[in-house]
Amino acid sequence: MLLQVFWLCCVFISSGWANPYPIDPTVAKLFEGREKKKEKEEAISESEEAEERRKKDKFARVLVLDWPDNPIGHEDVTLQRNTKAAISRNEVLFLPGVDLYQSGREVRDRTLPPERQPARVPDSAIGEVIAAANSVAGIPYDAMLPNEWGLKAEELRQVSEKIWFVDRVELREPLFLLYLQLGNVSNNMNNNVAPFFERIGPQTVNYYWYLAAQLAHQEPGLMALVTDQSIYGYVDYYKNLLEDGVYPSMKVDFQMQDTFDKEGFEKQYEVFFNGLPVELDEQGQIDIFLGRTDIYLRRKDSGHGLSDRLDSDKTEDKSYGVREMARKAVMIDFVRQLFLNEMDCKPIVDDEFLTYLAIYAKLHADARDSIFVAVPKNGNPNKLWIWRFDPSDSSLILVADGNDAFPIHFTVGLGGGFLYNKASVTYQQGWLNSYGSNTAQQGNVSAPSSPLDSDFKGAYVPLYIDMRAHYNRFIANWGMELGFPGEVGREQSDNVGWAEYYQTGSHHFRDVPGGREVVTVLVEDPGCIKYTGSRNDQREYGEEVTDCKIKQEVLHTPRVNRSLYFGLGFGIQRGKIGRDIALGIGPRIVFRSAWVNVPHSWQMTMHPGWNFPINAIKGNQRVRPFIDLDARGGIVLLRHRSLIYDTWTTEDFTPGFANNGSPLQPRSDQRIGRVMPVFGLTAGIGTTF
C-alpha cells in the first residue's frame, strides 16, 4: 500500500514538473502564430537586404585614394558631389581605397597579364585538387624511390596552388585532403628540405601536415576525413602542439594609422581567415599561428573588400597590419605613380595595381565598366583627379582633372512652340480709339468706341530663351518667354494684340478701393451735359455742371507679352538613361514659377523635358549641342487686378468706375474664374557649357 502511494506521488510530482502550468490551446495557437509571423518578417527582411545588395552591385564604384599627408576620406560630402558631377552618374558607391588591395587573390604567376587574372578560385578547382589527392592516397612507401616521391611532392605542391586563396568554406575540405597527402609524400622523400619542411619556432615541421593541423584546429570536424591512421597520428600530434601553445603565434592587426573603431568597422566588414569568420578584439587584433593565412574582408553592404595572403614562418614582426599594409601600397605607391604624369590621358602604372583593378572589376561584374579611381590632390575635394578603369585592356583613362573641377554645368537654349492659356485676353485694334499707354500718360485718352472684343481661346505662340544649371541630378532653371497672340478668327484679326491694365506709372489713385496698382486718368464723360432742371431740384436753375470728367483705367496694349520664370527640378536617371544628366543631357522634370505681365498673373507649371545631343556636331566634356523638347501643364493664378477678371463676357460692359469711385464689377454669373489652365509644347536648340 505504501509503495502504491509513493508511486502515485512520484507520478503526480513528475507530471507537475513536466507541465507545471498547462497551456490553453488558444494561447498556444496565439504563440505559434506570433512565431510564424516573426519568421516571415525575418525572411522578408533578408530578402529585402539581398535585393538592396543586388541593386548596389550595378552602381558605379568610386575608390577614393587619400592624399598621403592630407586624407579626407571617402565619405566627404563635397568630394562625393564633385565626383558625381564629374562622372555624370548619381547611383554611386564611394569606397575606401584600401578595398582595391587584392594581393591575396592575385595568382602567383607573373606571366599572366592583369586582364587574365582570375578573381576567384573556380569551382572546377575543387574536383582537380581532390582528384590529385586521391591519386596518391594509399600508395605504399616502397612503391617509388625517394627522388620519385620528391617529384610527386613538387607536382602536388603545384596543384595546391589551384586553390591559391581561400575565401569560402567550400575550399577548405579539398585543400585539407591535399595537405594530408602532400605531407605524406614529403615524408617519403627522406629529405627535409624547404618548402616541404620549415622551421616553426623551436623545431622543424612537416609543413603541409602542420598546415593541415592548422585547418583542423580552426575546424575540428575535418579530422573525421582522415582515413589513414598513420597520417591521422601525425596531424593530430601537430594539432595538439598548436593547442598547447608550443608553436609561436603572432597578431594580425586591422588598425589604420594607429586607430581602430570596432563598432564602425563591424558595420562595414566581416573578417574571414581561411574561409571562416573570425572576431577581432577591441584593438582590432587577433592571434594566429605561423604558416599560411588567407585574409578576406567582405563588405556587408556592397560586395568585396581587400584580400591578403600571409605566409609567415618567423616572428621577427610581432604583428602584421593588414589595412596599414594596404594603405601604404595603394594610397602612397599608387598615388605617387598616378601623379608622376598627372595630365596623361592614360597614366603608366605598375602591373601590380592594374592587376588589383582587374580583379576588383571581375569581383563586381555588374559594375565592371563603371569603376573609378578618385584622388583629391593635396586633400582638396574641389581638386579631384578621376580615372575610369577600362577592363578590356586593363588601363586607366583620365575622366576629370583638378584643373577643371567646377562641378556645375550650364545649358542655354532658344526655341518656340504652342501654348494654351485660358486666362489670356486679346483685343482687335478697332476696339481702341487712341487708347493706350503712350497717350494715356499724356492725359489724352477717350472712352472705348466699342466694348472689349476679347478672345478666350487662349492659343498663342511663345518664343523663349532658357538657361539651366545642372549639379549632379539637381537643376535650377530660369529664363524669359515672349508670347505672340494667335488668330481670333474675326475680321480685324490681323490687328490682334494683348490687353491688360497698365500696372505702372505716376497716376495712382491709392485712395480708391480696388484701384491700387492700376493707373487711371481723368477723361471727358460723353454723357455729361449742362443741367437746366426745375427749381425743385437741389441745383439752382440754369447752373452749369462743369465737372464732366470720369476716372478711367489705362490699358497696356503690347504686341507681345512677357513671362519671367524660375524653376527647380531634377534629372531622371535609370541605368543608361540619363547618364549624362549632370552635363545637361537627358530627361528631366522641372517645376516652374513664372510672373507674366499680360495677363497680370502668376503661373505654376510642371515641365517634363528631354535634351537630345546632336552627335553629328562634335563637342567636348562641357560643350555639347542638343535639341530640346519640353511639355508643360499647370495653372494660372490671376493677380489683383487683372482685366480679364473684371471683364464680362457679354458686350454690355465697359471697364471703368462707378459714380461712387469704385471699379465696376461683373455679375457673379458672368465672371471669369481666377484660376485657369495652361499647357503646351515647345522645342528648341541649345548647347551645354
Side-chain angles (χ1 to χ4, degrees), residues 23-40:
I23 298 177
D24 183 80
T26 305
V27 176
K29 189 175 182 180
L30 178 62
F31 277 107
E32 183 181 353
R34 288 179 178 177
E35 289 295 326
K36 288 182 178 179
K37 183 179 179 180
K38 184 178 179 182
E39 292 175 0
K40 185 178 180 181

Side-chain angles (χ1 to χ4, degrees), residues 410-415 463-470 475-481 565-567 588 590 592 607 611 626 628 630 632 682 685-687 689:
F410 298 93
T411 69
V412 60
L414 300 170
L463 295 179
Y464 67 82
I465 178 170
D466 180 82
M467 293 193 69
R468 292 195 303 273
H470 291 256
I475 300 172
N477 181 216
W478 66 94
M480 181 176 68
E481 193 170 78
Y565 59 82
F566 177 79
R588 66 184 182 274
V590 175
R592 279 189 197 168
H607 294 250
N611 278 12
F626 60 77
D628 179 70
D630 186 273
R632 75 181 67 179
T682 59
I685 59 173
T687 182
F689 64 94

Side-chain angles (χ1 to χ4, degrees), residues 441-480:
Q441 294 187 48
Q442 299 171 5
N444 183 20
V445 178
S446 61
S449 59
S450 62
L452 177 64
D453 194 0
S454 58
D455 167 41
F456 299 114
K457 294 181 179 177
Y460 66 98
V461 177
L463 295 179
Y464 67 82
I465 178 170
D466 180 82
M467 293 193 69
R468 292 195 303 273
H470 291 256
Y471 184 69
N472 299 331
R473 291 181 65 178
F474 301 103
I475 300 172
N477 181 216
W478 66 94
M480 181 176 68

Side-chain angles (χ1 to χ4, degrees), residues 394-576:
S394 295
S395 64
L396 288 165
I397 303 170
L398 184 65
V399 173
D401 61 78
N403 298 324
D404 183 27
F406 191 64
I408 300 177
H409 291 253
F410 298 93
T411 69
V412 60
L414 300 170
F418 172 85
L419 294 182
Y420 179 87
N421 181 353
K422 184 69 175 178
S424 63
V425 175
T426 59
Y427 71 93
Q428 292 186 4
Q429 190 67 32
W431 177 68
L432 294 177
N433 181 12
S434 63
Y435 192 71
S437 59
N438 293 331
T439 57
Q441 294 187 48
Q442 299 171 5
N444 183 20
V445 178
S446 61
S449 59
S450 62
L452 177 64
D453 194 0
S454 58
D455 167 41
F456 299 114
K457 294 181 179 177
Y460 66 98
V461 177
L463 295 179
Y464 67 82
I465 178 170
D466 180 82
M467 293 193 69
R468 292 195 303 273
H470 291 256
Y471 184 69
N472 299 331
R473 291 181 65 178
F474 301 103
I475 300 172
N477 181 216
W478 66 94
M480 181 176 68
E481 193 170 78
L482 302 177
F484 296 85
E487 295 290 336
V488 297
R490 296 176 184 165
E491 294 180 0
Q492 295 122 325
S493 60
D494 29 78
N495 287 321
V496 167
W498 298 94
E500 181 55 281
Y501 289 130
Y502 203 88
Q503 304 293 338
T504 60
S506 59
H507 301 285
H508 288 270
F509 286 83
R510 298 184 180 275
D511 57 334
V512 178
R516 291 192 298 175
E517 299 183 359
V518 176
V519 177
T520 60
V521 295
L522 295 175
V523 299
E524 292 289 341
D525 183 0
C528 181
I529 61 173
K530 293 179 179 180
Y531 182 75
T532 57
S534 66
R535 291 183 180 274
N536 294 329
D537 194 80
Q538 294 178 359
R539 289 191 178 95
E540 295 183 4
Y541 180 78
E543 179 184 359
E544 293 186 357
V545 179
T546 57
D547 187 10
C548 290
K549 302 239 183 230
I550 60 173
K551 298 182 183 73
Q552 179 66 61
E553 295 97 337
V554 177
L555 296 187
H556 183 43
T557 58
R559 298 300 300 171
V560 297
N561 75 352
R562 184 193 71 242
S563 172
L564 302 176
Y565 59 82
F566 177 79
L568 295 174
F570 56 91
I572 299 173
Q573 184 176 9
R574 289 292 182 271
K576 293 184 178 181

